[in-house]
Amino acid sequence: AAHAAAARALDRVCYPKDGMWSAAQFEEEIRSPRTAALGAWTVGDSGDEALVGMCFTSTVLDEASLTSLAVHPRLRRRGIGEALVCESMARAQAAGAAHFLLEVRSGNEAALRLYGRCGLTVAGRRPRYYRDGEDALLLSASLPAEVGGASPMRRAGGCLSEGARGVERALSNK
């Protein structure tokens, strides 16, 4: 429940009009066996931790779908989002997924650049997908059968050390 509350708090900071998901939705996703939930955490001087980035991915058969990505506005453009997405893709691939998918607002240039750096490309458009009528772009990437080398989270460690530590920690205790 504490992780769901932390996720809901970050969601509300990143998506101010009430956030994207309710606390109950976060709790359900964190408990779901098909969901991988990753968090980026900072540790304050007094030892208290704060969730500053999160990524939720749901896998069904051989398809993994990124369902939520959020990074605290003060810590954006430091590689946290990219590390979370790349690590989610690596974990989905390791779990047997062959495809990675997500929807993103067609006008969200920063997100499109981030996803492009992770190897995702535009595969389609969903007209008027969002409540305000904006289209969504469907992005996808094929996941290779094997990925060698260090995980994206470990490779990104240098750029994450200033903004977030303990990024590899999952939000759930699976």
Side-chain angles (χ1 to χ4, degrees):
H3 287 151
R8 175 68 175 137
L10 179 60
D11 183 58
R12 290 186 69 141
V13 169
C14 294
Y15 304 100
K17 285 194 174 186
D18 278 337
M20 289 183 23
W21 292 357
S22 69
Q25 286 172 301
F26 278 112
E27 186 69 34
E28 184 178 328
E29 286 299 310
I30 288 169
R31 292 176 189 245
S32 173
R34 72 174 196 278
T35 299
L38 296 175
W41 304 84
T42 58
V43 179
D45 294 336
S46 61
D48 57 323
E49 295 181 322
L51 182 66
V52 297
M54 62 184 176
C55 185
F56 286 77
T57 306
S58 177
T59 302
V60 176
L61 301 175
D62 70 341
E63 286 189 356
S65 297
L66 187 146
T67 56
S68 181
L69 174 67
V71 175
H72 195 287
R74 288 187 314 224
L75 295 172
R76 290 181 182 158
R77 299 186 185 272
R78 296 187 188 192
I80 296 168
E82 183 176 347
L84 287 166
V85 172
C86 290
E87 181 67 14
S88 292
M89 292 175 74
R91 289 182 183 207
Q93 177 273 327
H99 308 283
F100 195 86
L101 309 167
L102 63 90
E103 286 99 4
V104 62
R105 286 182 173 272
S106 59
N108 190 340
E109 295 296 326
L112 288 166
R113 284 190 301 274
L114 180 153
Y115 296 135
R117 288 191 303 271
C118 294
L120 290 138
T121 58
V122 176
R125 178 179 291 268
R126 300 191 193 284
R128 302 186 52 80
Y129 182 80
Y130 294 99
R131 289 182 199 143
D132 63 4
E134 185 174 356
D135 291 356
L137 295 178
L138 176 62
L139 303 184
S140 68
S142 294
L143 301 175
E146 292 185 20
V147 177
S151 81
M153 297 292 252
R154 290 189 190 93
R155 287 196 306 269
C159 69
L160 294 173
S161 60
E162 292 176 31
R165 291 188 176 88
V167 179
E168 269 193 90
R169 198 167 100 208
L171 290 173
S172 62
N173 293 322
K174 295 179 210 167

